[in-house]
Structure formats: C-alpha cells, structure tokens
C-alpha cells in the first residue's frame, strides 16, 4: 500500500462518491433510511434489509434557504440538515424512503415536525436520563416501535437471527475503526488529526461493510509497519489535543486545521462519530433488542442528565491519549453543550489538571482570524 495518503483521501471522498452508489442501490430496489444521530440503532435498520445513511448537514450552503422557515439563532447543523432537505440538494435525503430522528434537543424535535410535512419521518422518543429503569423500558419500547415501523414500511420481518448478524457485523466495523483511531495513542501519532477524521467520516458513507472493514484493517497495519520502520509524519513536539463537544462537520474543519497549523495535533475525538459512538460495542450474548437498547441509551450526549458518562469517558481519554489540552467545540445555539461547558471545564482543569478552552462557532468561515488567534495562543500556552 505505497499510496497510503491516497487511501486516506479516498475515505474523504466517500460522501460524494456515495451519491451514485445510493442511486444505483435504489435502482436495484434497495430501501434507504436516513438518520441524523448517534442514537439511531443502525443494526435494526440494516436487519430490515434497508441501508442507513447519514443526513446531518455539514455545510453552510443551504442555511439561507432553511432560514426562510427556521429562526436564524438556531444550531447550524439543524439549519443545514433542513436546508438540504427542502432544496433537495442532498441526494441522501432525497432518496430516503424513511427518515429516523430522535428527540435529543428542542431544535431537532421541532425541525422533525416540519420535515415530516414532506418526508416520511419516524421520531423516536429518547428518554433524557440513563439512571432510571423507566427510561430503559421507554427506550426499549421505542426500539420495538422502530422495528414495527421498518417491518410495516418495507414488508419484511426482522428476525432475531437477522438482528444478531447485523450486531456482529457492526461490532466488527467498530473494532476495525477503533484500532485505527487508537493509533492516536502513539507518541508522536503516525497520522494527523485531519487524516484520522477523514477515515472516520468516510466510514459513514461506505456501504460494502466487509470491504470497508478489510480496507481499514489493512491501512492500520500498513501505518503501524511504516511507524515501526521509523516513518514520522508528526513532530514529537506537537501538543496533543482532545476535541470534545458538538458533532463536527466539514464546515468545522477550520478548527482542526488551525490546531494543526499552530503546533498542535488532534489525537482523539470524543464527539459523535468518534470515540463516544464507535468506541463501545453491542453485547452479543444477550437478547438483541435489550443489547441495542443498552448500547444506545448510554451514549454520552449532553441531552442526557446527568451526563456522567461524558465525564467518565473524558477522564479515561485524557489519560489514555496523554492529552496536553482539551478543546470543547460548541455550535452556536446548542444550549445543552454550551451549558455543560462549565462542568466540563471544572472537571478537566481541576480534577484532571489539564488546560481547557471552549470555542463557540457556526458553519461560516468569517471567524477564522479570531479562531487562529485564540487557538494559537492556547497551544503556545501549552
């Protein structure tokens, strides 16, 4: 695999290349289910024979169209997602036979109502705490409701065997990706944070999972081999940064780029799409509905209260990845993550004795100058 950088860049193009793949699969009669969030049980969707695709808006482009219906002071991720839907500029949304959402935050919850006027939307009622037996029962019931919805929509039966098989396949994918992103534990890391992110992001738009698993495993082994042979792409002096907070999209790559242009390297992503989601497996030894209920109710999202799982996870990651500094990325108008910054700052600085900074931003590129100054000063302080 002499063309290793090209392999990584191939993952970066998966989202765009996937447009054609999805159209071809639709032409073959396959069903497509659009999903927005880490709480969506993709194994259940796959067990129905449908293809789960990620819909979250990651671009500033459709926001102006979305603001014709939505308030300006709303999370850019929500506006972008809705804008892509109403303009039909996102093929994934266009080709979705069903869209699954969850009541994670008020903005998404109300946006789903509007989206439901022109798309087939099923909303899962997400309990807001993991500390209650009632919450577990509610979430399990939502799993069963989604199972029934998928069976009804697509005229299929989701058997226990089908669901178990999908759980095993998804776990194998998680293990391969986990082995890849844990390369960031090396000192210095063999990859930049942007390279790691390209692969993690591209995996969301790869539909031949067996081929993806093999490609990621082969790439990980090649990177380790080159590292053992002495190849170093990142300076040993680069400050090791952990990114936490809101989901990251292409529009927020400006933050990772500025970190790595100013003497830092992102070695770990705690956000959705990073360790928070793919770092934890589904139990293969218990009833599959119970297993996915337990997996997906324990995601360390700020919509949960108390969000003790996030504190526990951050504590482990700061130690395991030898973190020099934590950067908390907050999208404008994301109230749950914004309110939580105080708790996270107190924990990171006082209990973990690690420097911390929070960044509030949106999908525009107008704040790059300000971000460069703040990030540069933070890393210089480290």
């Amino acid at each position: 695999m002499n063309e290793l950088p090209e392999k990584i860049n191939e993952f970066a193009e998966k989202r765009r290349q996937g447009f054609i793949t999805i159209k071809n699969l639709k032409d073959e009669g396959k069903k497509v289910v659009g999903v927005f969030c880490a709480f969506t049980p993709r194994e259940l969707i796959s067990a129905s024979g449908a293809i789960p695709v990620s819909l979250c808006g990651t671009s500033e482009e459709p926001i102006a169209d979305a603001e014709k219906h939505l308030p300006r002071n709303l999370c850019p991720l929500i506006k972008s997602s809705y804008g892509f839907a109403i303009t039909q500029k996102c093929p994934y949304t266009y080709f979705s036979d069903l869209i699954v959402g969850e009541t994670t935050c008020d903005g998404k919850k109300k946006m789903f109502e509007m989206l439901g006027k022109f798309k087939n939307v099923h909303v899962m009622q997400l309990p807001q705490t993991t500390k209650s037996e009632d919450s577990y029962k509610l979430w399990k019931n939502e799993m069963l409701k989604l199972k029934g919805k998928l069976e009804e929509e697509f005229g299929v039966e989701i058997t226990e065997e089908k669901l178990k098989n999908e759980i095993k396949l998804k776990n194998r994918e998680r293990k391969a990706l986990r082995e890849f992103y844990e390369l960031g534990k090396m000192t210095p890391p063999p990859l930049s944070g942007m390279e790691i992110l390209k692969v993690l992001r591209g995996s969301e738009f790869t539909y031949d999972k067996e081929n993806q698993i093999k490609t990621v495993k082969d790439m990980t082994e090649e990177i380790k081999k080159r590292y053992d042979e002495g190849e170093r792409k990142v300076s040993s002096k680069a400050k090791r940064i952990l990114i936490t907070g809101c989901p990251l999209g292409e529009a927020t790559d400006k933050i990772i780029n500025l970190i790595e242009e100013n003497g830092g390297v992102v070695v770990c992503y705690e956000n959705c799409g990073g360790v928070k989601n793919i770092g934890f497996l589904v139990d293969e030894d218990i009833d599959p509905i119970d297993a996915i209920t337990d997996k997906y109710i324990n995601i360390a999202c700020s919509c949960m209260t108390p969000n003790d799982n996030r504190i526990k996870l951050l504590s482990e990651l700061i130690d395991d990845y030898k973190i020099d500094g934590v950067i908390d990325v907050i999208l404008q108008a994301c109230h749950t993550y914004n309110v939580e910054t105080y708790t996270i700052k107190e924990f990171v600085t006082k209990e973990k004795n690690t420097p911390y900074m929070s960044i509030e931003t949106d999908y525009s590129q107008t704040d790059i100058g300000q971000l460069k100054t703040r990030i540069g000063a933070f890393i210089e302080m480290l």
Side-chain angles (χ1 to χ4, degrees):
M1 195 183 296
N2 294 323
E3 62 292 336
L4 188 57
E6 287 74 14
K7 286 289 183 184
I8 292 172
N9 287 329
E10 281 178 20
F11 271 91
E13 294 299 317
K14 289 293 183 183
R15 186 173 188 269
R16 296 175 184 84
Q17 295 169 355
F19 296 161
I20 304 300
T21 304
I22 286 295
K23 181 184 183 302
N24 292 338
L25 289 170
K26 285 282 290 184
D27 290 343
E28 295 170 10
K30 287 283 189 181
K31 301 299 183 182
V32 175
V33 177
V35 302
F36 285 100
C37 188
F39 284 101
T40 310
R42 292 176 181 242
E43 295 91 339
L44 203 49
I45 295 168
S46 298
S48 75
I51 302 167
V53 298
S54 181
L55 301 183
C56 272
T58 62
S59 167
E60 184 185 18
E61 180 190 353
I63 286 180
D65 292 297
E67 288 176 346
K68 295 174 183 177
H69 300 175
L70 299 173
R72 294 188 65 187
N73 60 337
L74 185 65
C75 164
L77 185 151
I78 296 173
K79 291 190 291 186
S80 181
S81 300
Y82 183 76
F84 272 126
I86 60 172
T87 60
Q88 297 189 353
K89 290 180 178 178
C90 175
Y92 294 117
T93 308
Y94 177 80
F95 285 123
S96 291
D97 299 286
L98 177 69
I99 291 175
V100 178
E102 302 84 11
T103 54
T104 49
C105 71
D106 291 341
K108 274 190 175 179
K109 185 165 59 180
K110 302 307 289 185
M111 185 269 281
F112 293 147
E113 291 180 14
M114 300 170 70
L115 189 61
K117 294 176 182 178
F118 57 94
K119 293 295 293 186
N120 184 11
V121 177
H122 175 83
V123 179
M124 302 179 75
Q125 302 299 318
L126 177 70
Q128 304 286 279
T129 179
T130 61
K131 300 294 186 181
S132 162
E133 184 179 345
D134 289 339
S135 293
Y136 185 90
K137 289 178 180 177
L138 188 156
W139 193 228
K140 181 177 179 179
N141 194 45
E142 290 299 305
M143 294 290 174
L144 294 171
K145 285 182 181 178
L146 177 60
K147 176 177 178 289
K149 177 71 173 180
L150 292 164
E151 291 175 328
E152 178 186 358
E153 286 288 327
F154 304 142
V156 298
E157 179 186 1
I158 300 175
T159 64
E160 183 175 312
E161 181 182 6
K162 287 179 182 177
L163 185 51
K164 283 185 174 180
N165 288 338
E166 292 301 327
I167 287 172
K168 289 178 181 177
L169 178 61
K170 188 66 177 173
N171 276 347
R172 286 174 53 220
E173 180 192 6
R174 290 186 182 105
K175 288 176 182 176
L177 289 170
R178 183 167 66 187
E179 187 178 2
F180 172 78
Y181 71 65
E182 284 184 347
L183 293 169
K185 291 182 178 180
M186 295 180 178
T187 307
L191 295 170
S192 70
M194 184 53 70
E195 288 175 316
I196 292 173
L197 187 60
K198 284 179 180 179
V199 174
L200 296 182
R201 187 181 287 160
S203 69
E204 294 284 328
F205 301 95
T206 306
Y207 307 111
D208 183 344
K209 291 303 177 183
E210 291 291 355
N211 182 62
Q212 176 198 324
I213 291 167
K214 182 180 186 305
T215 300
V216 172
K217 291 177 75 172
D218 288 348
M219 189 162 53
T220 303
E221 288 305 311
E222 177 68 16
I223 291 167
K224 287 180 177 178
K225 177 174 174 289
R226 294 186 180 195
Y227 193 87
D228 290 341
E229 291 172 351
E231 182 179 286
R232 296 292 184 272
K233 296 176 66 176
V234 178
S235 169
S236 59
K237 297 179 181 179
K239 298 303 179 182
R240 302 170 63 84
I241 304 297
L242 180 150
I243 297 283
T244 183
C246 292
L248 299 176
E250 292 177 5
T252 51
D253 286 353
K254 57 188 177 182
I255 294 171
I256 292 91
N257 288 329
L258 288 171
I259 290 169
E260 302 197 327
E261 289 167 6
N262 285 275
V265 58
V266 180
V267 295
C268 183
Y269 296 94
E270 185 266 347
N271 319 63
C272 300
V275 180
K276 180 187 295 184
N277 182 24
I278 58 179
F280 300 90
L281 305 180
V282 177
D283 192 337
E284 298 178 14
D285 298 322
I286 62 175
D287 175 84
I289 293 293
D290 286 331
I292 58 174
T293 300
D294 186 65
K295 160 73 169 75
Y296 288 99
I297 201 175
N298 280 296
I299 292 173
C301 179
S302 66
C303 68
M304 290 295 185
T305 180
N307 192 12
D308 296 338
N309 285 342
R310 187 181 180 197
I311 297 292
K312 180 182 178 183
L313 179 57
L314 282 172
S315 180
E316 294 172 356
L317 295 176
I318 289 170
D319 293 339
D320 292 347
Y321 285 81
K322 303 179 181 65
I323 297 302
D324 294 313
V326 172
I327 296 182
D328 202 349
V329 178
I330 313 299
L331 295 176
Q332 285 181 2
C334 183
H335 301 311
T336 54
Y337 271 108
N338 212 347
V339 170
E340 213 165 77
T341 55
Y342 179 80
T343 302
I344 299 303
K345 179 180 181 180
E346 289 287 293
F347 171 75
V348 170
T349 58
K350 294 184 178 179
E351 295 193 34
K352 302 303 291 184
N353 197 29
T354 302
Y356 166 97
M357 76 175 296
S358 64
I359 292 173
E360 186 173 359
T361 189
D362 61 9
Y363 279 2
S364 76
Q365 304 301 301
T366 57
D367 60 351
I368 285 182
Q370 178 191 25
L371 290 175
K372 181 178 180 180
T373 301
R374 291 191 62 211
I375 290 170
F378 179 73
I379 293 173
E380 186 177 352
M381 177 269 293
L382 299 180

